[in-house]
Amino acid sequence: MSASPTSPSASPSPSIDLDAYFDRIRYTGPREPTLATLNGVVAAHVEQIPFENFDSLLNRPVLLDPASLQRKLIHDRRGGYCFEQNGLLLFVLESLGFHVRPLSARARVGRERHSIPPRTHLFCRVELDGVSWLADAGIGRLSPTAALRLELDTEQPTPHEPRRLIREGSLYYHQARVAGAWTDVCDFTLEEMPLIDCEVASWFTCTHPQSHMKGRLLVARAAPGGRRVTLLDNEFTIREADGTPNKRTLTSRDELLSVLAEHFGLHLDRDIRFHVAALPWMA
């Protein structure tokens, strides 16, 4: 694939407490800017920091500055959506000495190809020894647990689902093979997403009534051994490495809070209240 790397950032790396971050994701591997480090950090991040949208449901602002991201995702042991997950990952990778840039995309998980979702997804492009890699810790139930080489039509293994990148016209598609079939994860053009664009897109994602983050509960985490755990409203699913889903319907506040604590490491206040049609007992 012909794709020229982007220019390095002129701004200094933000102050990131790497020791606290690595403790949060339970990462004890090397810290040199190598592919092994990149893959190790991505896998640990996706397994330990859950994707979740509670702040959107609670009408709380989502802040993207380094201090706020560290406070929420590291010290408060919360999760977040793509702008938080990949925003923090980008700052961490910069602090480790990686050449990394933010890219924009359209999330396509669960969407038909003919639909045009908003360009409200952020992920990372990393340059290593003249090769471009894509890292994405924030696409929910299909966040890849390894970096993907920016190379077309090649099946790439990860600790979870195989991945590939294809191109149709001007668009690149990131796809995952789930239950034997390739499914779209996101589409992108390699266009960068500056902080101001992230702020605008995140505001839409967090607050707009038609945003997919409003009106439904979304929680996801990769688990060891190729398994994944997801929560969509009241449907809790453990998907085995072979793609077999084990589903369970939650019927009470206590059951929901128990699942969040046990399977996602999210310990929420017993009195938390938000409005989701499928969860009337949370209002």
Side-chain angles (χ1 to χ4, degrees):
M1 174 185 305
S2 175
S4 58
T6 54
S7 59
S9 172
S11 59
S13 297
S15 177
I16 297 292
D17 187 341
L18 290 175
D19 289 335
Y21 172 75
F22 289 137
D23 180 69
R24 172 74 170 98
I25 67 172
R26 302 181 183 179
Y27 175 78
T28 58
R31 300 191 182 189
E32 296 78 17
T34 65
L35 181 58
T37 300
L38 176 62
N39 282 332
V41 168
V42 168
H45 184 123
V46 175
E47 289 188 2
Q48 296 300 325
I49 303 183
F51 182 98
E52 51 104 332
N53 66 325
F54 279 106
D55 284 349
S56 298
L57 298 178
L58 295 168
N59 297 316
R60 295 174 180 170
V62 170
L63 305 177
L64 304 181
D65 61 281
S68 296
L69 293 177
Q70 291 181 92
R71 181 169 55 253
K72 179 180 175 181
L73 275 66
I74 298 176
H75 301 295
D76 293 346
R77 306 189 74 81
R78 284 278 308 282
Y81 57 51
C82 68
F83 294 103
E84 300 168 283
Q85 300 275 6
N86 286 321
L88 177 61
L89 179 63
L90 185 145
F91 293 143
V92 166
L93 294 178
E94 282 185 338
S95 297
L96 289 172
F98 286 95
H99 179 114
V100 55
R101 303 300 297 164
L103 297 188
S104 66
R106 301 181 192 273
R108 288 199 164 273
V109 179
R111 298 178 185 269
E112 297 294 332
R113 177 63 71 88
H114 61 76
S115 68
I116 303 179
R119 188 175 293 179
T120 54
H121 183 57
L122 167 73
F123 67 113
C124 302
R125 177 177 180 173
V126 182
E127 304 298 330
L128 276 172
D129 301 322
V131 177
S132 295
W133 298 84
L134 305 179
D136 190 347
I139 197 70
R141 62 184 174 90
L142 283 178
S143 295
T145 46
L148 305 179
R149 187 179 180 122
L150 187 52
E151 179 177 281
L152 291 176
D153 305 318
T154 301
E155 183 172 316
Q156 303 186 44
T158 77
H160 288 71
E161 312 82 5
R163 306 289 172 133
R164 72 178 182 182
L165 303 174
I166 64 172
R167 186 172 184 176
E168 296 183 7
S170 62
L171 294 179
Y172 298 86
Y173 288 86
H174 165 201
Q175 296 183 319
R177 195 174 69 200
V178 180
W182 289 105
T183 184
D184 292 341
V185 177
C186 67
D187 73 58
F188 55 97
T189 63
L190 297 178
E191 181 180 353
E192 288 193 17
M193 196 174 206
L195 179 58
I196 185 59
D197 291 344
C198 293
E199 294 280 0
V200 172
S202 179
W203 177 82
F204 172 91
T205 300
C206 185
T207 65
H208 196 282
Q210 295 182 7
S211 166
H212 66 291
M213 291 295 166
K214 301 290 286 186
R216 62 179 184 169
L217 176 62
L218 300 167
V219 191
R221 184 179 68 83
R227 300 162 69 241
R228 290 188 183 270
V229 288
T230 61
L231 182 60
L232 174 57
D233 292 338
N234 63 342
E235 184 177 87
F236 173 60
T237 303
I238 298 177
R239 181 161 60 81
E240 302 297 338
D242 64 2
T244 303
N246 299 302
K247 298 179 181 290
R248 169 180 152 202
T249 300
L250 308 184
T251 60
S252 71
R253 172 184 293 268
D254 287 341
E255 195 175 13
L256 174 65
L257 295 180
S258 177
V259 163
L260 289 171
E262 178 182 355
H263 294 279
F264 300 97
L266 295 171
H267 300 273
L268 303 183
D269 192 303
R270 177 67 178 76
D271 297 326
I272 189 171
R273 297 188 181 279
F274 53 83
H275 293 276
V276 170
L279 307 173
W281 24 268
M282 293 303 298

